[in-house]
Amino acid sequence: MSTVKLTVNGRAVSVDCEDRTLLVHLLRDHLNLTGTHVGCDTSQCGACVVHIDGRAVKSCTTLAGQADGANVTTIEGIAKGDQLHPMQEAFRDNHGLQCGFCTPGMIMSAIDIVNRYGGNLDEATVRHELEGNICRCTGYHNIVKAVLDAASRMKVAQAAE
Ligand code: FES
Ligand code: FES
């Protein structure tokens, strides 16, 4: 057993868990943050993507201990109260989801993509960058539209801060 101390969605937490515990299980089973999904367990589908220190990672293949001391953000941590994150709004407005299973991971990956590329995003880049996120419902077109839309919205939001 180890004690893992980390900050999750702005809250300091300390969790006693087995050394083999994966970050996704720490989030879902110990902290009840079930918005992070498990689709494959083998680092292929992207349903489990969260941010560690601002970068997207697949939490199904990250040991909880690897996040010791880190800042972790999950899908539950990106809205500001009732105000959805611009990426969430863009997914809603562009019909970027159907069943919603892939959506938390898609959104966390997409925020990281926009943060890295800023205004230099185009459709081909979004499609390439989202290769690690699988959606079985949407055919991806509206997801790509949503990410490009969100890139503009995030720019406006950042300019207003
Ligand atoms: S559950 Fe992590 S990539 Fe599929
Ligand atoms: S919306 Fe159903 S898997 Fe993507």
Side-chain angles (χ1 to χ4, degrees), residues 79-97:
K80 291 189 178 142
D82 289 341
Q83 180 65 48
L84 292 176
H85 188 282
M87 188 64 74
Q88 293 173 302
E89 289 181 335
F91 267 67
R92 178 195 62 200
D93 296 348
N94 290 280
H95 307 289
L97 64 146

Side-chain angles (χ1 to χ4, degrees), residues 38-41 43-46 48 58 60:
V38 182
C40 68
D41 245 346
S43 205
Q44 317 214 16
C45 74
C48 63
K58 289 179 171 173
C60 75

Side-chain angles (χ1 to χ4, degrees), residues 69-150:
N71 249 309
V72 174
T73 307
T74 70
I75 191 69
E76 290 91 345
I78 59 172
K80 291 189 178 142
D82 289 341
Q83 180 65 48
L84 292 176
H85 188 282
M87 188 64 74
Q88 293 173 302
E89 289 181 335
F91 267 67
R92 178 195 62 200
D93 296 348
N94 290 280
H95 307 289
L97 64 146
Q98 289 182 24
C99 80
F101 190 84
C102 71
T103 312
M106 282 286 179
I107 285 178
M108 298 310 286
S109 292
I111 292 170
D112 182 42
I113 293 168
V114 173
N115 284 341
R116 281 186 289 116
Y117 284 88
N120 300 322
L121 259 187
D122 57 20
E123 180 179 338
T125 306
V126 173
R127 287 184 182 275
H128 175 72
E129 287 282 341
L130 280 180
E131 273 177 1
N133 290 76
I134 293 172
C135 176
R136 63 191 168 186
C137 304
T138 64
Y140 299 96
H141 292 294
N142 288 351
I143 289 175
V144 174
K145 265 169 61 185
V147 177
L148 292 170
D149 182 13

